[in-house]
Amino acid sequence: MPRLLIVHHTPSPAMQELFEAVLEGATDPDVEGVEVVRRPALAATASDVLEADGFILGTPANIGYISGALKHFFDTVYYPCLDATRGRPFGAYVHGNSGTEGAVKALRDITGGLQWRAVVETVALTGAPDGDARARCRELGATVAATLTL
């Protein structure tokens, strides 16, 4: 069974709301046959990454960059997973109170170095999550999960 790893840093109510929407999409009953594993960014390991067939990454935009927790995750797994995970599909969501551009660029740069394959556009949001934001995150989760069944 393909495994989807959701690596997230969820320090705020807004991030929790988006994480729950992503999880709801990834575990949608219409997407059958995918095991969904979720790990906080500070707990995720290289073994988690090596055992996964695809990824969803969630981070707040902190001072124009990804969270320190997600950066730590990448620092920990980058070289041990570099060759073995090339081409694996991923999606990401970013939430900020002001701009998200720097965090989105950092995700693009790091996942580009890993040669992971974006299968959905990064969901970048500012302000309080609304119904549209939650729907976009549900769609992100469902899309990445469904990609693993193809």
Side-chain angles (χ1 to χ4, degrees), residues 3-79:
R3 180 178 288 178
L4 173 61
L5 175 63
I6 302 174
V7 177
H8 63 98
H9 184 61
T10 308
S12 68
M15 285 301 298
Q16 182 66 34
E17 198 172 333
L18 299 177
F19 169 72
E20 289 172 6
V22 166
L23 185 60
E24 183 180 320
T27 58
D28 188 293
D30 290 338
V31 182
E32 296 178 4
V34 175
E35 177 187 4
V36 178
V37 175
R38 45 196 170 223
R39 295 281 186 271
L42 291 175
T45 66
S47 294
D48 291 323
V49 174
L50 292 168
E51 293 171 358
D53 300 291
F55 315 99
I56 296 176
L57 308 165
T59 184
N62 291 337
I63 313 169
Y65 197 68
I66 60 176
S67 70
L70 195 64
K71 176 68 167 73
H72 174 78
F73 161 75
F74 281 125
D75 287 346
T76 302
V77 306
Y78 192 90
Y79 287 109

Side-chain angles (χ1 to χ4, degrees), residues 10 13 80 95 106 140:
T10 308
H95 177 269
L140 179 138

Side-chain angles (χ1 to χ4, degrees), residues 10 21 24 68 82 88 97 106 119 141:
T10 308
E24 183 180 320
L82 181 60
R88 291 191 188 168
N97 289 324
V119 294

Side-chain angles (χ1 to χ4, degrees), residues 44-144:
T45 66
S47 294
D48 291 323
V49 174
L50 292 168
E51 293 171 358
D53 300 291
F55 315 99
I56 296 176
L57 308 165
T59 184
N62 291 337
I63 313 169
Y65 197 68
I66 60 176
S67 70
L70 195 64
K71 176 68 167 73
H72 174 78
F73 161 75
F74 281 125
D75 287 346
T76 302
V77 306
Y78 192 90
Y79 287 109
C81 299
L82 181 60
D83 293 327
T85 62
R86 288 181 189 192
R88 291 191 188 168
F90 83 97
Y93 62 101
V94 177
H95 177 269
N97 289 324
S98 54
T100 59
E101 300 83 9
V104 170
K105 180 185 181 314
L107 281 171
R108 185 174 51 245
D109 291 348
I110 296 166
T111 57
L114 287 163
Q115 296 183 31
W116 290 357
R117 179 175 48 92
V119 294
V120 63
E121 186 176 330
T122 296
V123 175
L125 306 161
T126 56
D130 59 12
D132 179 62
R134 289 186 299 277
R136 290 173 57 205
C137 284
R138 274 192 302 278
E139 183 178 329
L140 179 138
T143 299
V144 179

